[in-house]
Amino acid sequence: QFDVQVGGRESRNQQSYDETDTGPLAGGLSIEPKVRTKDNSFTYLVTPQFRVSSDLMVYARLASGYRPGGPNSTCVLLGVPCEFGADKTLNYEVGAKGDLVRNLLSFDVSVYRIDWKDIQLSLVDPATGFSYNGDGSRASSQGVELSIEARPLQGLRLSAWIAWNDAELTKALPPGGPGAAMGSAGDRLPYSSRQSGSFSVDDEFPLMAGLSGSVGGSISYVGERQGIFTPLPQRQDLPAYAKTDLR
């Protein structure tokens, strides 16, 4: 009725990069020096879960995450930092999964928080307009996710999910840092929408012996977002949109 999953991983990452450019865009001949990066990390996972009944399970999760850094291409020619560092996360989550009404309805709900350190950002050099990778400060992402699936009739399936997410900087980007990008505590992370969701209907039915048919449709929604951090106070605004699919 009760079990715990525990895991760990030790990782080591090494990269090397060099580049030689020729031609008029490179100013004749440009030799980029070899850049070597290396780091290591230990990540872990602890997930206890408790089965309240055969149709209901609750769980919690504590997990760490790691993404290696690496070199930036054409750094000397473009005048940008030649490497960027690793970023790390610490993830907390609690949730429940279950079936209701004799398995005609199932659900999955979770509440989470992610603390993000030394976040990797896509930045743009204001002098040249070229993009590269850099490291910011700290950020967090927290929210709620809910998915439901209903099977009211044989072959008919109704599915829906909705998510609310608040992802923002918790510490301002360093002044005069990578790309001189501006970002204050409380600013939303690039391309993160606060609301998103989807609803779909699928029906499968027999046609004749040995053959079956299906028809379905779905509509998904992504809320408004903001673009990458830039040297300007005003970031790009990306409007919300909905997408419809028929199958």
Side-chain angles (χ1 to χ4, degrees):
Q1 196 171 16
F2 176 77
D3 62 71
V4 180
Q5 178 189 28
V6 179
R9 174 184 293 153
E10 175 68 26
S11 302
R12 179 176 177 85
N13 178 70
Q14 299 182 72
Q15 299 181 64
S16 63
Y17 180 90
D18 62 274
E19 178 182 345
T20 301
D21 299 310
T22 60
L25 292 179
L29 176 65
S30 173
I31 299 177
E32 298 282 330
K34 178 168 285 190
V35 179
R36 291 185 174 90
T37 63
K38 64 178 180 179
D39 51 48
N40 64 287
S41 72
F42 176 75
T43 54
Y44 57 87
L45 167 75
V46 181
T47 306
Q49 58 183 27
F50 179 74
R51 293 174 178 82
V52 180
S53 68
S54 60
D55 297 323
L56 178 63
M57 182 267 285
V58 294
Y59 71 92
R61 176 176 293 120
L62 171 65
S64 63
Y66 158 83
R67 182 169 50 173
N72 278 316
S73 63
T74 327
C75 61
V76 174
L77 181 64
L78 301 181
V80 300
C82 288
E83 61 181 87
F84 59 98
D87 55 357
K88 300 178 181 180
T89 59
L90 193 57
N91 313 282
Y92 312 87
E93 182 181 349
V94 294
K97 302 179 181 182
D99 289 315
L100 303 173
V101 198
R102 295 193 297 264
N103 296 326
L104 296 179
L105 181 69
S106 60
F107 71 91
D108 186 341
V109 59
S110 63
V111 180
Y112 65 88
R113 177 181 172 88
I114 302 172
D115 291 325
W116 199 357
K117 181 181 178 182
D118 299 325
I119 57 177
Q120 291 179 8
L121 296 170
S122 176
L123 300 168
V124 176
D125 179 42
T128 63
F130 285 97
S131 61
Y132 65 99
N133 293 314
D135 293 284
S137 301
R138 293 176 179 266
S140 69
S141 176
Q142 54 194 359
V144 180
E145 295 181 346
L146 170 66
S147 63
I148 298 175
E149 182 174 288
R151 298 168 290 274
L153 301 172
Q154 184 175 358
L156 178 63
R157 186 173 73 251
L158 311 177
S159 303
W161 64 264
I162 187 171
W164 174 84
N165 176 54
D166 182 24
E168 60 183 31
L169 290 175
T170 55
K171 184 178 179 181
L173 297 180
M182 299 177 62
S184 303
D187 287 352
R188 287 166 61 181
L189 293 184
Y191 307 116
S192 63
S193 62
R194 287 201 167 97
Q195 301 91 19
S196 57
S198 175
F199 175 75
S200 64
V201 179
D202 290 280
D203 188 25
E204 185 172 337
F205 46 87
L207 292 176
M208 60 184 67
L211 292 177
S212 63
S214 66
V215 62
S218 61
I219 182 170
S220 57
Y221 171 82
V222 175
E224 61 172 345
R225 295 139 295 138
Q226 290 185 306
I228 64 174
F229 293 109
T230 70
L232 303 175
Q234 182 64 38
R235 296 160 60 190
Q236 182 184 22
D237 289 320
L238 305 172
Y241 68 89
K243 179 169 69 77
T244 302
D245 294 296
L246 299 177
R247 299 179 288 278

